[in-house]
Amino acid sequence: MSTTTPPSSSSSFLNGERAVVLFFIAHILFSLPFSLLLSHGLPLSLLTLAASFLEITYDAAAAASSSSLFSTRRGASSGILLGAVTLPALLLSKFTQLSRGFSLAQVNLQEIQYLTLQYWASSATSFVVLVFLSFVLLRRAPLWRKDWGLGFGLCFLFLQASLCFLALASTSSQSSLQLVLKLSWVFGHGLAAVMLIQHFLRTFPSCASIGEALLVTAGIVLYFGDMLLLTVMKLCGLLMSSDLVTAEYETSRSEIGIIIQGLLLGLLLYPIPFKYILRVWEWSTNTGSADSRRYNEIRRSVIFISLFVLVMVGIVPLWMQFVHEFHVHPILWVLSFVLSEPSKRLSLCIYWVCVICLSVLYVYDISKNSRVERILLRKYYHLLAVLMFVPALILQPEFLNLGFGAALAVFLMLEIIRIWRIWPLGQPIHQFMNAFTDHRDSDFLIVSHFSLLLGCALPIWMSSGYNDRPLAPFAGILSLGIGDTMASLIGHKYGVLRWSKTGKKTIEGTAAGITSVLASCWLLLLLLASSGYFFTQHWFSLLLAVTVSGLLEAYTAQLDNAFIPLIFYSLLCL
């Protein structure tokens, strides 16, 4: 009787994706000042090593097992390394940028302290999720207990946790209770992420890889954590004079930021009460009559609309006014903001509506009457992002911030209607959206339009406030609207030399993507220079950022719309 041994991890240690990610982390560490290298850089390097060994072990276990450990997207690797390090590396790059502003007295200390807390929260989130995945491997595949990669990964994880504890304990003079609260707050993000990632993979099977689910859940938990922190600080200010909430938790937030946060989190939480109210209603009106099915659909729609109005017009604006000083109702504030410059902002709205309607109808008609591959059809939307967002980012950046929030809210609402099949729009929306899906989408969840919008929006949102890199806000538009589009079009039409035997990405496509982004950067810099911007980005660092993000797009099997803009933005901030 033969026994099966785990495959050697070392044989596949440096595939293309891991090599690019490791180079990306090494570049960030090299760019850190020495004072931050030990306190912030060393924990990130240990997290990177742990995620690398765990990814190797997980992929080998998935390949050797007849059944998958999780219901992840088919055709994609686990992506654990990329998912675990992207958010901490992004925040560390942003921390480096704000440190330059602090040395010039353009950034206050509270912003630095708050971003530091966010960095440790994201690192702790990745740590707890990686520990959870390690124990899943040990529990479901006892054979892998002897695998040296998993052992090394756990050792690096607990070294990283120890350094995180020491860094949090030594940041400032604080009482023991304050330290306990801070550690609970930081590692509470990780526990919440573990519960959310399990719920996500169970509710939407085969929709994402482990790395993609980790990035999404970590971002949502960090965003929810910020909302909870805002609420707790306001309550402490109203109810007591507490020394437990120190200055490092405080940072200024704009009205637009509060409105976007309340809008998105309200929509993400909305399905929870709707689900339970619907269950109670169906239980109380349980009937098997086929004649009443249509009336039940209408009643479901009435419940949906009523609860939606209550949450989004009543409860969410109350929270916005509670945590921020709005002198009027937030909806009225939005109207006054739009009408404060009516000629520019209303004209921009009309331009957006015309471009969207014409483009969507044109592409939808092509998708129904043409044999063009869907992956190429979807690149029209990438070009559409360039046409819509570049003029707005140059002329009306604040209005574009609000526009991104409104567009994402509309996408979330439509996806909720599609998933729940709310009459009468649920089924038509489902049929329309299916015309633009590919292998990365499923009937459970269509993510491509979310990833494209967020990929363009996140660099712009994160560049609000101090920003000494004028190209950083354009990171998503350049990498997705220009680079990814040109790489796909040129690679599909002229590509011959492939990066790997099993992949579809070609060297010609990657070269076209990198060249087109560099040419676009040059044109943008000329345009920004004529508008009064001062260029502070060295060409070598720009070339490095474009090349690394281009190579990652070529090698990764993950959803590139989600990762490439964040990687590109992180490199531009350095």
Side-chain angles (χ1 to χ4, degrees):
M1 181 178 176
S2 60
T3 59
T4 304
T5 59
S8 174
S9 300
S10 59
S11 60
S12 58
F13 182 79
L14 276 180
N15 60 21
E17 180 181 313
R18 291 188 197 118
V20 175
V21 175
L22 291 175
F23 180 82
F24 163 66
I25 296 298
H27 179 60
I28 289 180
L29 296 177
F30 180 77
S31 303
L32 290 176
F34 184 76
S35 59
L36 296 177
L37 186 60
L38 294 179
S39 60
H40 293 69
L42 185 56
L44 179 62
S45 63
L46 291 174
L47 179 67
T48 304
L49 291 173
S52 301
F53 283 115
L54 182 58
E55 178 181 272
I56 293 168
T57 304
Y58 185 94
D59 288 343
S65 175
S66 58
S67 60
S68 177
L69 299 177
F70 294 97
S71 298
T72 55
R73 180 165 57 85
R74 295 179 181 179
S77 59
S78 64
I80 292 174
L81 172 61
L82 188 57
V85 303
T86 297
L87 197 54
L90 170 68
L91 293 173
L92 189 56
S93 297
K94 188 65 179 177
F95 183 86
T96 305
Q97 184 186 43
L98 291 187
S99 298
R100 294 195 299 268
F102 181 71
S103 64
L104 298 174
Q106 297 181 15
V107 175
N108 57 49
L109 181 61
Q110 285 76 17
E111 291 183 65
I112 297 289
Q113 291 176 330
Y114 183 75
L115 191 63
T116 303
L117 189 67
Q118 295 289 80
Y119 168 71
W120 291 122
S122 66
S123 299
T125 299
S126 296
F127 162 77
V128 176
V129 172
L130 292 180
V131 170
F132 164 72
L133 293 175
S134 300
F135 282 107
V136 167
L137 281 173
L138 290 174
R139 182 170 59 88
R140 296 194 180 184
L143 180 65
W144 295 92
R145 294 175 183 173
K146 298 181 180 180
D147 184 79
W148 57 269
L150 186 57
F152 277 133
L154 286 171
C155 290
F156 286 131
L157 277 177
F158 286 105
L159 282 175
Q160 186 251 354
S162 302
L163 290 176
C164 178
F165 173 80
L166 292 176
L168 288 172
S170 61
T171 51
S172 60
S173 57
Q174 53 193 348
S175 66
S176 300
L177 181 57
Q178 287 176 329
L179 177 60
V180 170
L181 289 176
K182 186 186 293 185
L183 290 172
S184 301
W185 174 258
V186 167
F187 285 97
H189 283 72
L191 296 177
V194 167
M195 293 187 289
L196 185 58
I197 199 172
Q198 292 181 85
H199 176 76
F200 180 84
L201 293 175
R202 185 169 56 249
T203 306
F204 303 107
S206 304
C207 290
S209 67
I210 296 293
E212 293 163 359
L214 174 54
L215 178 66
V216 171
T217 53
I220 291 176
V221 167
L222 207 62
Y223 208 42
F224 267 93
D226 183 74
M227 181 191 75
L228 182 60
L229 185 61
L230 271 174
T231 308
V232 171
M233 288 178 57
K234 190 68 175 180
L235 286 173
C236 289
L238 291 176
L239 300 179
M240 65 188 80
S241 176
S242 177
D243 296 329
L244 298 179
V245 181
T246 58
E248 60 194 294
Y249 296 98
E250 299 176 2
T251 183
S252 60
R253 293 170 175 83
S254 66
E255 289 87 353
I256 293 177
I258 293 294
I259 289 173
I260 293 174
Q261 189 173 33
L263 197 62
L264 298 184
L265 295 180
L267 283 169
L268 288 172
L269 290 173
Y270 168 78
I272 298 175
F274 176 66
K275 174 182 177 181
Y276 287 105
I277 290 175
L278 202 60
R279 282 184 178 179
V280 172
W281 173 77
E282 290 176 347
W283 173 80
S284 62
T285 59
N286 188 18
T287 176
S289 174
D291 297 335
S292 63
R293 185 176 302 172
R294 183 61 177 269
Y295 294 103
N296 289 338
E297 290 181 352
I298 295 175
R299 292 189 188 104
R300 287 175 78 248
S301 300
V302 171
I303 293 174
F304 178 87
I305 296 172
S306 303
L307 184 62
F308 182 84
V309 171
L310 174 64
V311 172
M312 303 308 299
V313 181
I315 298 176
V316 169
L318 282 178
W319 174 82
M320 296 177 188
Q321 291 176 300
F322 177 72
V323 299
H324 194 82
E325 293 295 333
F326 282 95
H327 299 294
V328 295
H329 193 280
I331 295 178
L332 296 178
W333 187 94
V334 171
L335 292 176
S336 64
F337 175 77
V338 174
L339 296 176
S340 61
E341 296 183 28
S343 60
K344 296 180 180 179
R345 292 170 180 169
L346 291 180
S347 300
L348 196 56
C349 289
I350 295 172
Y351 169 72
W352 283 343
V353 171
C354 292
V355 171
I356 290 173
C357 292
L358 293 176
S359 302
V360 169
L361 292 176
Y362 175 71
V363 176
Y364 185 72
D365 183 64
I366 292 178
S367 67
K368 292 298 183 182
N369 306 305
S370 166
R371 295 183 179 180
V372 179
E373 292 188 17
R374 287 190 178 185
I375 188 65
L376 295 180
L377 283 175
R378 290 150 63 95
K379 300 307 172 185
Y380 285 105
Y381 289 103
H382 289 225
L383 293 175
L384 179 63
V386 178
L387 293 176
M388 291 179 60
F389 301 149
V390 170
L393 182 55
I394 295 175
L395 300 175
Q396 286 286 325
E398 288 189 354
F399 185 59
L400 180 61
N401 286 343
L402 185 62
F404 273 130
L408 192 57
V410 170
F411 280 176
L412 280 171
M413 184 180 65
L414 293 177
E415 188 67 7
I416 292 171
I417 293 174
R418 187 193 69 85
I419 292 175
W420 287 90
R421 297 294 195 273
I422 302 299
W423 180 86
L425 298 178
Q427 190 61 30
I429 291 174
H430 177 70
Q431 294 174 350
F432 179 81
M433 296 297 295
N434 273 342
F436 308 103
T437 58
D438 64 5
H439 64 282
R440 294 172 295 187
D441 295 309
S442 70
D443 287 338
F444 295 102
L445 188 66
I446 299 177
V447 299
S448 300
H449 53 301
F450 286 108
S451 61
L452 175 60
L453 186 65
L454 280 173
C456 295
L458 285 175
I460 297 174
W461 285 343
M462 295 195 67
S463 298
S464 59
Y466 177 77
N467 177 45
D468 61 347
R469 297 291 186 260
L471 288 178
F474 296 90
I477 302 172
L478 289 171
S479 59
L480 298 181
I482 303 294
D484 187 42
T485 302
M486 293 303 297
S488 295
L489 295 178
I490 300 299
H492 182 267
K493 190 170 184 179
Y494 302 105
V496 176
L497 303 174
R498 300 188 182 276
W499 285 103
S500 64
K501 296 180 180 179
T502 58
K504 296 182 179 180
K505 306 292 180 65
T506 62
I507 296 177
E508 294 88 348
T510 302
I514 292 174
T515 304
S516 61
V517 172
L518 286 173
S520 301
C521 289
W522 179 70
L523 292 175
L524 265 178
L525 289 173
L526 291 178
L527 183 61
L528 293 173
S530 65
S531 302
Y533 282 89
F534 180 70
F535 181 50
T536 58
Q537 190 102 35
H538 296 292
W539 276 107
F540 177 75
S541 62
L542 178 60
L543 176 62
L544 186 65
V546 174
T547 304
V548 170
S549 58
L551 289 175
L552 183 60
E553 191 275 335
Y555 278 117
T556 186
Q558 308 302 306
L559 188 61
D560 48 8
N561 289 1
F563 289 100
I564 304 301
L566 300 182
I567 299 295
F568 191 32
Y569 177 81
S570 302
L571 294 169
L572 288 177
C573 285
L574 300 175

